[in-house]
Amino acid sequence: MNIIEFIINNLSSFLAMVATGIFAGILAGLLGVGGGIVIVPVLFFVFQTFGVSPDSAMLIATATSLAIIVPTSISSIRSHNQKGNVDFDLLKRWAVFILIGVLVGSWLVTRIEGTMLTTLFGIIASLSALNMLFKNGQSALYQQLPVPAGQIVMATSIGFFSSMVGIGGGTISVPLLTLYNYPTHKAVGTAAAIGLIISLPGALTLLAFGSTPVDAPAGTFGLVNLIAFICIVPLTVLFAPLGVFLAAKLDSVKLKKIFALVLLFTGLRMLMQLFL
């Protein structure tokens, strides 16, 4: 079966990927979460409709999400930078340590079972959703970022955990930065740039060194599925600037609450699948 026949025979799944691309792009610009928090669970469930095991599906979803986040982040960075919301000084201090975390995390992905990644993603997604649902406007616990040693731990942890579950870093970095009284708009814009630092080396590592599962869907190289990449990327790039525009126009608080409920349901569903 060639790729065209594969797409025709699985049209509903590819339409889900198209919808994912639109939603992930808007979300990347609107909330600075890189889109991976949406892409990973959708691909996880879509790949299983192709007969892929949950274990393999999670590995491929994680790697493919990181590859998709590369162009999405670039599009989002350009839009946020035009508004002066990217903190390049912070990026200079954090970049090396984020990269170290990414390389270690990506290497671990090629060595561990997908069920462990599913568990980690479910936990991170659920905690992130609860944070969005219940935090109030005065969420800062500290008045400024910690000393350099503390920032090194923060940056390394963001790179490590984000690369392991295929997200761009905003899901972790935005709430973490705002915890230290960091301006929210700069946290979102800077998260887009952090997403590029995470996704590019992470995707390349998993593409080059990941072993393709025997039940992987067509178009999978290493652990990256190029068909999903081609379906989703143009739409994430196209719609990321719209998300940035909407962030300035819509009630972001209400939007975050709605997204948080969807995210909580998704995270819990992924955790439940491990035990059912």
Side-chain angles (χ1 to χ4, degrees):
M1 181 184 297
N2 60 39
I3 291 179
I4 300 299
E5 292 175 337
F6 184 78
I7 293 175
I8 293 173
N9 293 338
N10 297 277
L11 185 59
S12 61
S13 295
F14 284 96
L15 290 177
M17 291 185 189
V18 170
T20 300
I22 295 173
F23 188 48
I26 293 174
L27 205 64
L30 185 64
L31 303 179
V33 295
I37 201 71
V38 176
I39 295 169
V40 170
V42 170
L43 292 183
F44 173 70
F45 292 115
V46 166
F47 287 150
Q48 290 180 67
T49 68
F50 299 158
V52 181
S53 68
D55 191 67
S56 299
M58 189 60 192
L59 290 170
I60 300 169
T62 298
T64 305
S65 175
L66 287 173
I68 291 169
I69 291 170
V70 174
T72 306
S73 294
I74 293 173
S75 176
S76 187
I77 290 168
R78 292 178 61 186
S79 297
H80 281 293
N81 189 44
Q82 290 174 357
K83 299 179 181 297
N85 290 340
V86 180
D87 188 344
F88 289 102
D89 289 334
L90 181 70
L91 290 173
K92 289 177 183 178
R93 299 197 305 271
W94 283 24
V96 172
F97 304 106
I98 293 173
L99 180 60
I100 291 171
V102 169
L103 294 177
V104 174
S106 300
W107 177 80
L108 278 178
V109 170
T110 66
R111 296 292 187 273
I112 64 177
E113 295 182 355
T115 51
M116 295 181 65
L117 299 182
T118 304
T119 302
L120 183 59
F121 184 93
I123 292 171
I124 290 176
S126 299
L127 290 177
S128 177
L130 291 172
N131 175 69
M132 289 183 186
L133 282 171
F134 296 113
K135 79 172 184 178
N136 54 41
Q138 302 298 323
S139 58
L141 294 181
Y142 308 96
Q143 292 305 306
Q144 59 184 10
L145 289 171
V147 296
Q151 293 188 46
I152 289 173
V153 173
M154 289 171 64
T156 306
S157 299
I158 290 170
F160 177 77
F161 288 109
S162 298
S163 62
M164 286 198 70
V165 295
I167 58 179
T171 303
I172 300 175
S173 64
V174 171
L176 193 59
L177 285 170
T178 54
L179 192 68
Y180 287 90
N181 202 34
Y182 195 84
T184 302
H185 62 285
K186 278 194 172 293
V188 171
T190 306
I194 289 174
L196 182 60
I197 299 172
I198 291 169
S199 60
L200 182 57
L204 290 175
T205 299
L206 296 173
L207 180 65
F209 300 107
S211 298
T212 305
V214 293
D215 59 346
T220 302
F221 297 88
L223 289 173
V224 177
N225 185 267
L226 296 185
I227 296 177
F229 180 88
I230 292 170
C231 286
I232 295 175
V233 163
L235 294 168
T236 58
V237 172
L238 181 63
F239 282 90
L242 176 60
V244 176
F245 173 79
L246 291 175
K249 300 293 183 181
L250 300 179
D251 187 340
S252 60
V253 175
K254 291 183 179 179
L255 290 172
K256 286 181 181 180
K257 301 298 183 186
I258 294 171
F259 172 67
L261 290 172
V262 175
L263 181 60
L264 181 61
F265 172 80
T266 303
L268 293 176
R269 184 182 175 190
M270 293 178 75
L271 290 173
M272 288 175 62
Q273 181 166 323
L274 297 171
F275 304 103
L276 297 179

